Amino acid sequence: MTENARAALEHLRDPSRFQWYLIPLLLLVIYVYAAEVERRNWNVFFAGLALWGMDWFNEIWNALVFHFTQRAPAWGAGGDSAFQILIGLNAEICLMFAVMGVAAAKLLPPRGTRLLGIPGRWLFVLLNSLACVGVEVLLHRAGVLTWDWPWWQEGFPFLILLIGYAPFFVVCAVVHDLPRVRAKAAVVSALFAIDAAALAAFGALGWL
């Protein structure tokens, strides 16, 4: 087991580390989504939730990487946190991705847009994924995001881009563009149902 993984495990779901600033952060997230509900902007509302649901999916398999290797997750959440939910996910990261989903949905270019011959939706996925990888590199250099595998490193960022972030923005765009609100709700509900079932099952087994 790497030292980074050991350090993250020491604080895993430790309630004594709770900090009150999480409460206003949670309220800000609720406000962001409530504003979209008020506007009946279901495209952005469900697209934001879809991205957040994909982050949960990634965080679960990342925790399973650690469980089955007993060495390290693909990424670990280091540094101080008010609550460490999973080995690679703390409460602050979780709430950040909830807001990021809405922000990403609002950045979607108009349907049919092309730039240099590239469809706008694919350019949206690429540019946002690259931006997120750049932020992760900075967080890694700051020591608050840990990478302990050679296939998940600054010098080999392709998996971080293709697996770590591109699916977030693909799902965000797909859900945004679904023609019916019922279809959007169905996809998001299915995604969160998978996340909840995985958390419950793997958590009960002690794998998370």
Side-chain angles (χ1 to χ4, degrees), residues 7-15 17 66 83-89 208:
L9 283 180
E10 288 178 357
H11 305 306
L12 191 63
R13 293 185 287 279
D14 178 3
R17 296 178 63 82
F66 171 71
F83 193 72
Q84 186 86 17
I85 303 170
L86 296 171
I87 195 166
L89 177 69
L208 301 178

Side-chain angles (χ1 to χ4, degrees), residues 8-152:
L9 283 180
E10 288 178 357
H11 305 306
L12 191 63
R13 293 185 287 279
D14 178 3
S16 69
R17 296 178 63 82
F18 173 80
Q19 297 290 328
W20 278 105
Y21 68 77
L22 281 184
I23 303 303
L25 286 180
L26 176 60
L27 288 174
L28 286 173
V29 172
I30 293 172
Y31 174 80
V32 166
Y33 280 91
E36 301 309 318
V37 171
E38 182 182 27
R39 300 184 185 104
R40 301 182 67 81
N41 192 355
W42 304 118
N43 290 342
V44 170
F45 177 80
F46 284 111
L49 288 176
L51 188 149
W52 191 28
M54 273 306 303
D55 178 59
W56 275 103
F57 182 83
N58 268 15
E59 298 294 351
I60 292 167
W61 70 251
N62 181 53
L64 293 176
V65 168
F66 171 71
H67 171 75
F68 286 109
T69 66
Q70 288 297 299
R71 180 180 180 272
W75 62 89
D80 292 331
S81 169
F83 193 72
Q84 186 86 17
I85 303 170
L86 296 171
I87 195 166
L89 177 69
N90 57 40
E92 295 87 347
I93 294 172
C94 180
L95 296 176
M96 180 272 294
F97 274 112
V99 176
M100 180 178 169
V102 171
K106 288 179 175 293
L107 289 172
L108 274 166
R111 298 181 194 183
T113 299
R114 300 179 74 91
L115 184 62
L116 301 177
I118 303 173
R121 290 297 189 260
W122 288 112
L123 196 61
F124 162 83
V125 171
L126 176 62
L127 293 179
N128 279 284
S129 298
L130 287 171
C132 288
V133 171
V135 171
E136 287 226 350
V137 168
L138 295 176
L139 292 173
H140 173 64
R141 291 180 180 180
V144 294
L145 188 68
T146 61
W147 297 334
D148 289 312
W149 292 100
W151 41 267
W152 200 277

Side-chain angles (χ1 to χ4, degrees), residues 125-206:
V125 171
L126 176 62
L127 293 179
N128 279 284
S129 298
L130 287 171
C132 288
V133 171
V135 171
E136 287 226 350
V137 168
L138 295 176
L139 292 173
H140 173 64
R141 291 180 180 180
V144 294
L145 188 68
T146 61
W147 297 334
D148 289 312
W149 292 100
W151 41 267
W152 200 277
Q153 285 288 341
E154 180 177 345
F156 191 82
F158 308 106
L159 291 181
I160 306 175
L161 179 74
L162 295 176
I163 300 176
Y165 280 106
F168 292 6
F169 299 106
V170 169
V171 169
C172 178
V174 168
V175 169
H176 181 281
D177 291 347
L178 288 173
R180 300 177 61 191
V181 174
R182 182 174 297 179
K184 301 176 195 291
V187 171
V188 170
S189 297
L191 180 55
F192 276 98
I194 292 170
D195 292 340
L199 286 168
F202 297 139
L205 291 170

